[in-house]
Amino acid sequence: MQRFLDEIAEHARLSPEKGQVARYIPQLAKIDPDQFGICVSTADGACYVAGDADVPFSIQSVSKVFALAMALGHAGDSLWSRVGREPSGSAFDSIVLLEREQGVPRNPFINAGALVTTDSYLDMSAPKEALGGLLHFIRAAAGDDDIHINATVARSELATGHRNFAMAHYLASCDNLNNDVDKVLGTYCHQCAIEMSCRQLAMAGRFLIDAPGMPRLLSADRSRRIAALMMTCGHYDGSGDFAFRVGLPGKSGVGGGILVAAPGKASIAVWSPGLNQYGNSKLGTEAMEAFARMTGWSVFG
Ligand code: DON
């Protein structure tokens, strides 16, 4: 395993095409694209790392996996009357789909759907408490208390996130938000601004892989279903491509992180800030494709 990761990190380091860092969130536009980290936390308790695996990065939409777990904990299956479970085939911040579907977002991983899951776990409490609950969940999953929100990144997105504001107000106009719109947006932007290293993220993802000895924070059934949504929706309009190339459920973020679950085997986190045309990590996707080929791991047998 260590040899695989060293080879993948070296390949990434030498790669001339690293993709474009996200520019629409000013704080993310400043990140050095020349970074790459990977961590594999295996079901037998081992942890393998290569590259910049201990450098914290903005997890952005990877947070939607933990937010969904929290929202399901709050609302149970009634959440599914407010948000769908189908791939969108559209960009993560598409507005047009929301109007067509009368305020019920396609899935909990596109931004509109994630605003609904945030609204659900916010559940009339103060944003500080709700975010405290989310951080508590993530820290418990990772077995690491040193996981925090970068308030500068959150403010940077709050100052410029006009599309998310538009979507949140549209959701409110369709009666699909229970909390004050500004509270939902503030909580969502802070949730996205959580920073974790690959090591912390791979550790935190262990609750998804359903293996003996892994932290059991949700029922096995629920973890499996979150992984199913990661496979079908976790990379937005690039989800089919990721499933084809990697064959494992994954959730990406515009900070360049990807959390991947290899059921029964390992939780994997990879990070490289440059993005491909879908807004998913370019080298991260390529690294996961190489990793799946090397290990032969796939949910398709
Ligand atoms: O809401 C946004 O646009 C960002 N906070 C998160 C988007 C994101 O990470 C999409 N992922 N690839």
Side-chain angles (χ1 to χ4, degrees):
M1 182 61 77
Q2 190 61 53
R3 208 163 23 85
F4 289 164
L5 299 194
D6 289 341
E7 200 177 305
I8 286 169
E10 181 61 7
H11 189 267
R13 196 178 66 78
L14 298 174
S15 177
E17 288 294 325
K18 297 189 193 293
Q20 288 281 324
V21 298
R23 303 215 172 278
Y24 74 104
I25 301 176
Q27 283 297 314
L28 296 186
K30 298 181 184 164
I31 304 291
D32 171 11
D34 227 4
Q35 303 181 81
F36 177 90
I38 187 164
C39 175
V40 179
S41 169
T42 54
D44 59 8
C47 192
Y48 304 88
V49 295
D52 304 307
D54 287 306
V55 177
F57 59 89
S58 196
I59 67 167
Q60 292 296 322
S61 288
V62 183
S63 68
K64 294 170 182 173
V65 172
F66 305 105
L68 176 60
M70 292 282 290
L72 286 169
H74 270 81
D77 286 338
S78 72
L79 181 70
W80 302 122
S81 63
R82 301 179 57 194
V83 59
R85 300 190 294 251
E86 295 297 338
S88 69
S90 307
F92 62 87
D93 56 356
S94 168
I95 292 181
V96 64
L97 204 61
L98 192 58
E99 181 169 21
R100 205 177 298 138
E101 301 191 340
Q102 287 151 3
V104 177
R106 268 289 171 96
N107 67 64
F109 294 150
I110 52 174
N111 286 7
L115 288 163
V116 171
T117 60
T118 298
D119 180 64
S120 172
Y121 80 73
L122 189 50
D123 199 17
M124 302 304 165
S125 57
K128 235 188 179 146
E129 278 170 38
L131 287 163
L134 179 69
L135 276 175
H136 182 77
F137 180 96
I138 294 176
R139 289 170 180 161
D144 188 334
D145 282 343
D146 194 18
I147 295 170
H148 307 278
I149 293 172
N150 183 326
T152 311
V153 173
R155 275 197 297 273
S156 170
E157 184 169 11
L158 269 170
T160 54
H162 304 298
R163 273 177 175 258
N164 286 336
F165 278 67
M167 280 189 277
H169 281 279
Y170 195 83
L171 287 165
S173 81
C174 297
D175 285 329
N176 201 3
L177 287 187
N178 297 328
N179 298 271
D180 177 77
V181 182
D182 290 331
K183 271 192 190 164
V184 175
L185 283 161
T187 309
Y188 170 80
C189 289
H190 282 78
Q191 163 199 312
C192 290
I194 292 172
E195 290 189 339
M196 295 168 83
S197 65
C198 287
R199 190 192 297 269
Q200 291 172 324
L201 189 56
M203 292 296 280
R206 292 172 304 162
F207 80 95
L208 292 166
I209 68 170
D210 191 19
M214 293 291 105
R216 183 45 67 79
L217 299 174
L218 301 181
S219 68
D221 202 36
R222 213 160 244 171
S223 300
R224 264 198 298 275
R225 286 176 156 171
I226 292 178
L229 288 169
M230 288 163 71
M231 179 65 104
T232 51
C233 314
H235 282 72
Y236 315 105
D237 43 344
S239 299
D241 190 54
F242 192 84
F244 182 83
R245 289 165 65 183
V246 179
L248 294 167
K251 180 73 208 83
S252 68
V254 285
I258 306 177
L259 174 63
V260 175
K265 295 192 172 73
S267 165
I268 304 134
V270 63
W271 168 59
S272 175
L275 308 178
N276 62 21
Q277 74 269 33
Y278 306 113
N280 305 316
S281 175
K282 181 177 184 294
L283 293 186
T285 304
E286 288 170 13
M288 281 315 306
E289 186 176 11
F291 179 84
R293 195 178 343 99
M294 287 168 169
T295 55
W297 293 353
S298 164
V299 295
F300 301 110

